[in-house]
C-alpha cells in the first residue's frame, strides 16, 4: 500500500504483468547459461571465485577472493551447495538480480506503459552491463532499486535495511547511503525542484563526484590493490565513445525525463 496525496487514503500498488518478472529472469538465465553472446569480460574472475568457494567455503582464499563481499559469497555458496555448475550458478544469480529489478521497477511505475518502457531500457542498458558482466553490482543495484522504492512508499526503516544489505554484494553501494538519506530528509525539497535547478544540481554532483573519485584513487592507490589491478589491465585507458548505443539510450531517457518534468513531478507528489 502507498499513500495518495490527493485524498490522503491508501491506494493499492498495481502489479503490471507479474509473469514478465519471471520471463525476464528466465531470459537472462538462458542467455548466460547458453552463452548466447559469448563469455563476459568478468566470467573468468567469477569462475575462479566459484572454484575457491567449492574448496574453501567462506574460509581463507586467494587475495582476489578476499575482496569479494560476504553477501555475494554466501549466496553463491548456497547455490553451489545445490550442485550447480559455475555457469548455472552465475546464471541463477543474474536471474535473481533481474527478477528483483523487475519487481522494484513495478513499485515505481505509475502505468503499464511506463513499466514497459522502463523494462525495455533495463533490458538494453542494464542487463548487458551488469547481469551479463558485473554480477555483484547487478545484485547491489537490484537491492538499491528496492530500497528507493521503499523510500518513496514511506517504508524508511525497510529502505535503510535493504540499502545496508546491498553493501554485502558490492561495496560501492555505500556511496548511495548519503544520497538516500538526503532524499529522506529533504523529500519535499527534492520533489519541488524546478527543471533548471535539477539540471544544475545534477551537473554539480557529477563534477564533484568525478573530482572526488580522481583524488581518492590518487590518494589510496597504494593502499587498495584493486586500483593497481585495474590500472595494470588498462581500465579506463580507452577513450569513451559518446555515440555508443547504450550512452545514447541513457541520454534519451534523461532528455525524456526533462521534457516530461511536470508530469514526473506530479506523479512523485502522489507517491
Amino acid at each position: 500500500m502507498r499513500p495518495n496525496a490527493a485524498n490522503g487514503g491508501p491506494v493499492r500498488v498495481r502489479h503490471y504483468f507479474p509473469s514478465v518478472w519471471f520471463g525476464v529472469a528466465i531470459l537472462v538465465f538462458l542467455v548466460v547459461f547458453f552463452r548466447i553472446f559469448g563469455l563476459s569480460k568478468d566470467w573468468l574472475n567469477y569462475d575462479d571465485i566459484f572454484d575457491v568457494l567449492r574448496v574453501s567455503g567462506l574460509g581463507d582464499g586467494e587475495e582476489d577472493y578476499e575482496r569479494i563481499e560476504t553477501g555475494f559469497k554466501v549466496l553463491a555458496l548456497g547455490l553451489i551447495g545445490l550442485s550447480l555448475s559455475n555457469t548455472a550458478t552465475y546464471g541463477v544469480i543474474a536471474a535473481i538480480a533481474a527478477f528483483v529489478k523487475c519487481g522494484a521497477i513495478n513499485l515505481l511505475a505509475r502505468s503499464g506503459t511506463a513499466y514497459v518502457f522502463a523494462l525495455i531500457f533495463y533490458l538494453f542498458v542494464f542487463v548487458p552491463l551488469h547481469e551479463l558482466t558485473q554480477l555483484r553490482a547487478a545484485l547491489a543495484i537490484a537491492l538499491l532499486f528496492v530500497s528507493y522504492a521503499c523510500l518513496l512508499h514511506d517504508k524508511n526503516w525497510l529502505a535503510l535495511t535493504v540499502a545496508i544489505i546491498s553493501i554485502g554484494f558490492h561495496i560501492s553501494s555505500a556511496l548511495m547511503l548519503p544520497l538516500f538519506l538526503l532524499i529522506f530528509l529533504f523529500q519535499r525539497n527534492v520533489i519541488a525542484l524546478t527543471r533548471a535547478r535539477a539540471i544544475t544540481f545534477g551537473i554539480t554532483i557529477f563534477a564533484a563526484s568525478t573530482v572526488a573519485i580522481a583524488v581518492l584513487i590518487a590518494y589510496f592507490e597504494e593502499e587498495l590493490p584493486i586500483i593497481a589491478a585495474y590500472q595494470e589491465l588498462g581500465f579506463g585507458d580507452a577513450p569513451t565513445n559518446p555515440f555508443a548505443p547504450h550512452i545514447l539510450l541513457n541520454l534519451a531517457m534523461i532528455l525524456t525525463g526533462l521534457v516530461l518534468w511536470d508530469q514526473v513531478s506530479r506523479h512523485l507528489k502522489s507517491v
Side-chain angles (χ1 to χ4, degrees), residues 10-22:
V11 295
R12 187 173 299 278
V13 176
R14 302 189 190 103
H15 297 285
Y16 299 111
F17 319 114
S19 59
V20 173
W21 307 3
F22 292 96

Side-chain angles (χ1 to χ4, degrees), residues 85 91 114 160 186 208 242 251 258 260 267:
S85 67
L160 177 61
F186 304 103
L251 291 175
L258 292 175
L260 302 177
H267 290 163

Side-chain angles (χ1 to χ4, degrees), residues 126-255:
F126 282 108
V127 168
L129 178 61
H130 293 136
E131 276 73 12
L132 303 186
T133 304
Q134 301 171 356
L135 193 56
R136 288 150 50 226
L139 288 167
I141 291 174
L143 291 174
L144 288 175
F145 276 17
V146 174
S147 177
Y148 182 65
C150 292
L151 190 61
L152 292 186
H153 288 81
D154 292 328
K155 306 294 184 180
N156 300 322
W157 284 110
L158 180 59
L160 177 61
T161 301
V162 175
I164 292 175
I165 293 174
S166 72
I167 300 174
F169 294 93
H170 203 284
I171 190 63
S172 63
S173 294
L175 298 175
M176 296 299 296
L177 292 182
L179 177 60
F180 280 24
L181 180 61
L182 287 174
I183 293 175
F184 167 65
L185 294 175
F186 304 103
Q187 190 174 86
R188 291 186 178 180
N189 300 82
V190 172
I191 293 175
L193 279 176
T194 64
R195 193 178 353 235
R197 289 179 179 176
I199 294 174
T200 303
F201 180 75
I203 293 176
T204 302
I205 292 297
F206 177 78
S209 301
T210 302
V211 173
I213 290 173
V215 171
L216 290 174
I217 288 177
Y219 186 78
F220 292 105
E221 181 177 357
E222 297 181 359
E223 286 75 12
L224 297 177
I226 186 61
I227 295 178
Y230 278 123
Q231 289 178 336
E232 290 176 3
L233 293 173
F235 181 79
D237 290 346
T240 300
N241 177 14
F243 300 105
H246 62 281
I247 292 181
L248 292 178
L249 186 55
N250 275 280
L251 291 175
M253 291 296 290
I254 293 173
L255 291 175

Side-chain angles (χ1 to χ4, degrees), residues 35 39 42-54 80 85-87 90:
R35 301 178 179 178
L39 295 173
D42 280 354
W43 161 249
L44 292 179
N45 293 327
Y46 285 108
D47 192 36
D48 290 341
I49 291 170
F50 297 150
D51 285 340
V52 172
L53 282 171
R54 293 179 189 279
I80 290 172
S85 67
N86 287 359
T87 304
Y90 190 111

